[in-house]
């Protein structure tokens, strides 16, 4: 995209989709951190407290990974759609 010829609205939409992509990546990796590091590999025969803690951390991690991936996809699709629309508009 040529930022010199973009209007204020186009620049705003471009920054917003870029921020969505970045937020999606960050949320995804925080979820991976929760699943891998915080929850870790459960003990062979853990006490009830450790099982509860493991379930909580895995639940948080799974939700963050799913939501981060969806935000990343939405931002990427929005960015792609914006590029297509701007390219068609510049050709006219």
């Amino acid at each position: 995209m040529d930022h010199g010829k973009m209007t204020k609205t186009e620049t705003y939409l471009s920054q917003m989709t870029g921020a969505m992509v970045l937020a999606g990546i960050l949320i995804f990796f925080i979820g991976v951190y929760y699943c891998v590091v915080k929850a870790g590999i459960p003990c062979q025969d853990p006490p009830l407290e450790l099982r509860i803690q493991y379930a909580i951390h895995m639940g948080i991690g799974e939700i963050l990974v799913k939501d981060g991936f969806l935000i990343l996809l939405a931002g990427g699709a929005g960015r792609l759609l914006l590029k297509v629309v701007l390219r068609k508009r510049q050709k006219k």
Side-chain angles (χ1 to χ4, degrees):
M1 286 186 279
D2 187 16
H3 291 286
K5 297 181 180 179
M6 292 177 64
T7 64
K8 218 175 210 184
T9 305
E10 293 166 347
T11 304
Y12 172 74
L13 289 173
S14 176
Q15 289 176 349
M16 186 176 68
T17 56
M20 281 182 65
V21 169
L22 182 61
I25 290 170
L26 288 175
I27 293 170
F28 178 81
F29 281 116
I30 290 171
V32 169
Y33 168 77
Y34 260 90
C35 288
V36 174
V37 176
K38 292 288 273 186
I41 299 172
C43 300
Q44 196 168 14
D45 190 23
L48 181 61
E49 295 85 21
L50 287 179
R51 281 189 277 173
I52 292 171
Q53 186 179 18
Y54 175 79
I56 290 171
H57 288 306
M58 279 303 288
I60 291 171
E62 289 173 356
I63 290 170
L64 289 175
V65 166
K66 180 186 70 163
D67 289 349
F69 185 71
L70 291 176
I71 292 171
L72 176 64
L73 282 180
R79 192 154 185 95
L80 181 65
L81 182 64
L82 183 64
K83 280 188 178 189
V84 169
V85 168
L86 289 178
R87 187 172 296 162
K88 284 188 177 185
R89 195 177 132 207
Q90 287 178 355
K91 286 184 181 179
K92 286 185 180 181

